[in-house]
Amino acid sequence: MVFLKYNVVNNVRYYFLVEGYRENGKVKQKVVKWIGNADKLLEYLEKKELSIEDIEVEQIQDYGDIIAIHELFLNFHLREGINKLMPKKRQNGIDIGSLTEIMVINALLAQKSKNGIKKWYEETVLPKLLNIAPDQLYSQLFCRALDYFTEENIEILEKQITSELQDRYHLEIKRVFYDITSVYLEGDKCPLAELGYSRDGKLRKKQIVLGLVIVPNKKFPILYKIYKGNTADVATSKEVIDQLYQMYGIQDVVIIVDRGMISDKIRIQFHEMKVRYISALDGDSKEAKDLILSTPRHIMRGLTLRSGRKVFVKRHVGSIKALRKKLGIKHVNRKENQELDDIEFIYLVGKSPEISKTKKNAHYEALAKALKALKALQEELDEKASALKKKGRPIDIDRKLKEILHGVTRYFKCKWEKIGAHVQLSVKFNDKNLRIARKTKGKFVLCASDRSLTNREIVQGYIDKYQIEHVFRFLKTDINVRPFWHRKSNRVIAYFFISYLAYLLKSIIDYKFKKSRLKLSFLEAMEELSKLKIVTISAGDQKFEKLRKISPTQQQIFKSLKVNLSD
């Protein structure tokens, strides 16, 4: 029979196989194969080049990516912070902080449902790290853990986390991005779920609205809010600003918001609150059109952005009423919120050559597509000339015209009339609107409330708001926050707090990579670390764990994250 043995040289085990035999009535052993260290032994076993009854790979557990997130969770004292707010709250003998950590790591690395989380957990090194047996976990355990989170204790945790970020990474809250998105759910029992404008394209699905505030460049989140699914974009802006001031005591901050988040009424409220903000005007508003049409390209000045991209801008300072007078444009009062016409702003009228060309091409393609569809409709009507005479439902021409002209209605004048059995379409271009479109497409108007902001700060600040759009994409596609199935309002709020924490850790890892000049994305790094496993090998009465050999790339990642595996 063959046995596994080893010798220890310089604290390293070297394995070899021996076989017993008798010589002159005495039992002796001879070496039948030299193997080497534990890495070589594992290699032989995985390739099935060794076939020994009492040696087997007992368990392989995820280690590399798990330990990276776990160490960061510990380093920021997140478990302790959560447990401090819920000192006596436990589920099945497990503290809420540990259950939160399991949910956050799962969200980042596996995205398993509450029914699949136990099996995933068992296949990781987490049971050893947290000292929680897999048998202690079950699906409803995590739902019940969410019940302990409230808006009040989540706000306390957000403040604690932001304070930690300020101390460790010198985070300055001088500029922030704010935006919202919608997330749909399955079922209709959640009180927060309503039908509304869906950014997911799920028009018949109820949804909630998620608002998020992040700090530019470092992309750290500092606040999130959950609203009912039918909440209008502009309805959230003032509330979020109030909460930012209340939570962090900040006044000297520039809020950068998307044009869909701000209305005339909100602009007046921001002026009264002395909020410093940057936004864009709706290109279809009279305010924007007047400024664009009165600002020819030759008076704009070039501006090179951080990316190397060039834009051309012209700065106008003053109230829209005064600027119209200066530019020789007839002033027409707004129907509502007329006091906005007397408030002074910085208006930057600009043009990006690349974007302008793209938008103009898209505009012309949309017009050509509509013309082609109108021609096809006329041919269809000619073929079915008798459809209107027959009994039954006639062709709904108005509905078809509405569908065809969606997005380009203003550029056409369409009518139809019945001539005998035939229907004749009359299609003309709206020349006035087309002339305006030719001059305005591809141009923009940025609006800032603080006259001390430079042109570069305004343009670069607004362009950088793409960062928050990337955050929403990460939440929706990489950690799959949609759809969700929770019914209770507090569970929905807590569910998104788990996602908030997951993104927080991801943003910290991205920042550490950037600081150490490691050119890897979060997903690339986690994929590389996921290859690092802990293998449990049993050999007779011996059992030992072996960490697979760490690759140079994995070493770089751990070094950037300051994870010391020798601990």
Side-chain angles (χ1 to χ4, degrees):
M1 184 179 289
V2 178
F3 300 92
L4 180 70
K5 298 192 73 173
Y6 65 87
N7 289 329
V8 179
V9 180
N10 295 329
N11 294 322
V12 178
R13 291 184 179 185
Y14 291 92
Y15 296 88
F16 53 93
L17 299 179
V18 297
E19 184 178 31
Y21 67 97
R22 285 182 177 272
E23 186 178 290
N24 299 326
K26 293 183 179 180
V27 177
K28 294 187 177 182
Q29 293 179 340
K30 63 179 179 180
V31 176
V32 295
K33 188 175 184 66
W34 291 98
I35 296 173
N37 60 19
D39 286 324
K40 286 290 184 182
L41 174 61
L42 181 57
E43 188 179 322
Y44 276 117
L45 290 170
E46 288 181 332
K47 292 180 178 179
K48 298 183 180 179
E49 293 180 5
L50 290 178
S51 181
I52 309 170
E53 291 184 3
D54 61 346
I55 298 180
E56 64 174 333
V57 176
E58 190 172 290
Q59 192 177 32
I60 300 177
Q61 294 175 309
D62 295 338
Y63 179 80
D65 49 355
I66 300 291
I67 196 69
I69 307 296
H70 170 73
E71 287 294 320
L72 197 55
F73 207 90
L74 287 182
N75 193 249
F76 267 77
H77 312 292
L78 292 174
R79 197 194 310 165
E80 292 85 344
I82 292 168
N83 288 335
K84 190 174 180 181
L85 290 173
M86 311 167 193
K88 296 181 180 179
K89 307 299 183 185
R90 303 177 77 85
Q91 281 291 311
N92 205 26
I94 307 171
D95 61 272
I96 305 303
S98 294
L99 290 171
T100 302
E101 180 178 353
I102 294 170
M103 287 188 280
V104 169
I105 296 177
N106 170 64
L108 279 171
L109 303 179
Q111 301 90 48
K112 298 296 182 183
S113 68
K114 61 180 182 290
N115 292 321
I117 198 169
K118 178 180 176 180
K119 187 176 186 302
W120 162 79
Y121 175 82
E122 192 172 5
E123 294 170 353
T124 73
V125 74
L126 280 173
K128 296 184 181 71
L129 296 174
L130 301 179
N131 196 26
I132 299 171
D135 289 342
Q136 290 180 261
L137 304 181
Y138 53 92
S139 60
Q140 285 302 311
L141 187 72
F142 298 101
C143 292
R144 290 170 186 164
L146 296 177
D147 289 336
Y148 292 112
F149 287 96
T150 64
E151 290 188 79
E152 290 73 23
N153 59 34
I154 286 174
E155 184 176 314
I156 292 170
L157 288 167
E158 284 175 323
K159 289 173 68 174
Q160 290 174 352
I161 291 166
T162 301
S163 176
E164 193 82 12
L165 292 171
Q166 288 173 315
D167 292 342
R168 293 188 186 209
Y169 304 122
H170 310 292
L171 178 67
E172 292 184 328
I173 307 178
K174 294 291 185 183
R175 285 192 303 151
V176 297
F177 297 136
Y178 173 61
D179 205 351
I180 68 172
T181 191
S182 58
V183 183
Y184 72 95
L185 70 156
E186 298 294 344
D188 56 2
K189 301 297 182 182
C190 176
L192 293 172
E194 297 285 354
L195 291 174
Y197 173 65
S198 174
R199 293 158 183 83
D200 296 324
K202 303 289 185 179
L203 302 180
R204 297 182 181 180
K205 294 280 188 182
K206 288 191 175 182
Q207 62 181 26
I208 58 92
V209 170
L210 168 65
L212 185 66
V213 179
I214 69 168
V215 179
N217 301 325
K218 291 184 174 71
K219 304 179 187 177
F220 295 151
I222 60 172
L223 176 67
Y224 87 103
K225 292 288 290 181
I226 300 296
Y227 300 97
K228 283 192 171 186
N230 58 358
T231 305
D233 296 7
V234 296
T236 67
S237 300
K238 184 178 182 298
E239 181 182 344
V240 166
I241 300 301
D242 285 338
Q243 191 164 352
L244 271 176
Y245 287 176
Q246 177 190 341
M247 285 176 64
Y248 300 114
I250 51 175
Q251 296 292 332
D252 186 27
V253 61
V254 178
I255 315 294
I256 302 167
V257 292
D258 188 80
R259 65 185 180 186
M261 303 291 299
I262 197 163
S263 64
D264 290 351
K265 183 178 179 180
I266 294 296
R267 288 170 69 189
I268 293 170
Q269 289 176 343
F270 278 4
H271 175 72
E272 293 169 349
M273 295 166 63
K274 298 182 179 179
V275 174
R276 300 170 67 210
Y277 70 91
I278 298 170
S279 188
L281 297 184
D282 184 346
D284 292 328
S285 68
K286 187 170 186 345
E287 191 176 4
K289 285 179 180 177
D290 284 349
L291 290 169
I292 290 173
L293 294 172
S294 304
T295 309
R297 162 69 183 81
H298 71 271
I299 67 170
M300 297 181 185
R301 295 292 177 262
L303 186 67
T304 303
L305 302 177
R306 193 167 50 238
S307 63
R309 178 175 150 201
K310 196 164 188 177
V311 298
F312 298 88
V313 296
K314 171 62 179 174
R315 185 183 181 105
H316 297 285
V317 181
S319 68
I320 189 63
K321 183 185 284 187
L323 288 173
R324 280 174 175 151
K325 184 177 180 180
K326 179 180 177 181
L327 297 169
I329 304 169
K330 182 181 178 181
H331 177 68
V332 179
N333 287 327
R334 301 168 196 262
K335 293 181 179 179
E336 297 177 341
N337 305 305
Q338 293 180 9
E339 57 265 46
L340 187 62
D341 292 337
D342 295 309
I343 298 174
E344 290 193 352
F345 295 101
I346 297 172
Y347 294 100
L348 283 190
V349 180
K351 177 179 181 178
S352 169
E354 298 171 12
I355 295 177
S356 176
K357 185 177 180 180
T358 301
K359 286 194 172 183
K360 282 187 175 181
N361 287 341
H363 172 64
Y364 294 134
E365 286 173 8
L367 293 177
K369 183 180 177 182
L371 279 173
K372 186 177 179 180
L374 288 169
K375 184 179 178 181
L377 176 59
Q378 181 65 73
E379 291 173 354
E380 182 185 358
L381 291 170
D382 290 341
E383 289 175 6
K384 300 181 179 180
S386 60
L388 294 177
K389 294 195 304 180
K390 291 182 180 178
K391 292 182 179 179
R393 188 174 181 179
I395 297 174
D396 191 341
I397 299 173
D398 289 329
R399 181 181 62 81
K400 286 209 170 192
L401 285 175
K402 187 176 180 180
E403 290 174 357
I404 291 170
L405 298 177
H406 179 69
V408 292
T409 305
R410 74 187 70 179
Y411 306 116
F412 290 92
K413 295 178 180 178
C414 290
K415 296 186 294 183
W416 64 274
E417 60 178 335
K418 184 182 174 185
I419 304 173
H422 294 270
V423 174
Q424 183 63 47
L425 292 180
S426 171
V427 179
K428 293 181 181 179
F429 282 115
N430 187 321
D431 294 331
K432 180 183 176 182
N433 287 345
L434 280 174
R435 279 197 304 272
I436 292 173
R438 278 196 294 271
K439 293 180 180 180
T440 59
K441 284 293 178 184
K443 293 182 180 178
F444 58 84
V445 180
L446 298 182
C447 176
S449 61
D450 185 355
R451 296 180 64 168
S452 68
L453 293 170
T454 66
N455 292 358
R456 185 181 303 278
E457 287 173 329
I458 295 170
V459 177
Q460 189 70 64
Y462 193 74
I463 286 176
D464 283 348
K465 73 180 178 60
Y466 75 88
Q467 295 174 14
I468 200 165
E469 293 164 4
H470 286 188
V471 177
F472 289 143
R473 191 176 306 134
F474 174 81
L475 292 174
K476 291 184 178 184
T477 61
D478 294 327
I479 63 175
N480 297 332
V481 296
R482 60 179 183 181
F484 63 93
W485 286 265
H486 295 290
R487 296 181 179 182
K488 295 181 179 179
S489 295
N490 64 312
R491 285 187 182 179
V492 172
I493 293 168
Y495 169 76
F496 282 97
F497 180 61
I498 299 299
S499 303
Y500 174 90
L501 289 179
Y503 172 71
L504 167 73
L505 298 183
K506 183 261 184 191
S507 65
I508 293 171
I509 289 173
D510 283 338
Y511 174 72
K512 288 190 172 189
F513 286 168
K514 184 178 179 181
K515 196 173 180 182
S516 60
R517 298 183 180 179
L518 183 61
K519 295 181 179 180
L520 282 177
S521 69
F522 171 80
L523 295 177
E524 289 169 340
M526 292 303 108
E527 184 179 356
E528 177 64 29
L529 291 182
S530 69
K531 300 172 186 175
L532 188 59
K533 314 281 188 181
I534 278 189
V535 182
T536 303
I537 300 173
S538 62
D541 58 352
Q542 299 179 54
K543 184 182 287 190
F544 62 93
E545 291 181 343
K546 173 61 186 172
L547 182 64
R548 283 180 171 170
K549 189 175 181 180
I550 303 175
S551 71
T553 303
Q554 291 167 349
Q555 289 176 342
Q556 285 183 309
I557 295 170
F558 285 129
K559 184 178 179 181
S560 297
L561 300 179
K562 296 183 179 178
V563 174
N564 187 354
L565 297 184
S566 63
D567 294 341

